[in-house]
C-alpha cells in the first residue's frame, strides 16, 4: 500500500491510499474523484518522505569501542 498526496484542479488537497503505483495509474485513467468537489482532474502533489524516528546509538563503554560493535568505527 502507498499513500499519495493529491491535488485537484479546484485547489483541494487530499490523501488517498493505493495498492501500488500501477493501481494509482489505473484509477487516474478512469478518474479519481476529489472528496471535496467531486472533480476528477487530479494530480500528485509534492510530498515529503515519511521517515521514522531513529534510535540513538548506544554509548561506548568505559573501555572504548572494542569488538567492532561501535557504529562510529565502520
Amino acid at each position: 500500500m502507498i499513500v499519495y498526496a493529491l491535488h485537484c484542479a479546484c485547489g483541494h488537497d487530499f490523501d488517498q491510499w493505493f495498492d501500488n503505483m500501477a493501481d494509482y495509474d489505473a484509477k487516474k485513467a478512469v478518474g479519481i474523484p476529489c472528496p471535496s468537489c467531486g472533480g476528477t482532474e487530479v494530480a500528485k502533489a509534492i510530498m515529503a518522505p515519511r521517515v521514522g524516528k531513529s534510535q540513538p546509538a548506544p554509548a561506548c563503554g568505559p573501555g572504548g569501542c572494542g569488538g567492532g560493535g561501535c557504529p562510529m568505527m565502520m
Side-chain angles (χ1 to χ4, degrees):
M1 297 288 290
I2 188 168
V3 66
Y4 286 127
L6 303 176
H7 183 81
C8 84
C10 295
H12 302 116
D13 294 314
F14 62 99
D15 292 340
Q16 187 156 336
W17 286 94
F18 298 92
D19 291 334
N20 50 43
M21 291 187 323
D23 182 38
Y24 166 79
D25 292 336
K27 289 181 178 171
K28 180 157 175 46
V30 176
I32 301 168
C34 171
S36 296
C37 67
T40 56
E41 195 173 327
V42 171
K44 290 181 195 173
I46 297 174
M47 295 174 42
R50 295 184 184 198
V51 180
K53 294 181 181 178
S54 62
Q55 297 294 323
C60 297
C65 295
C70 179
M72 302 304 281
M73 297 300 289
M74 294 180 182

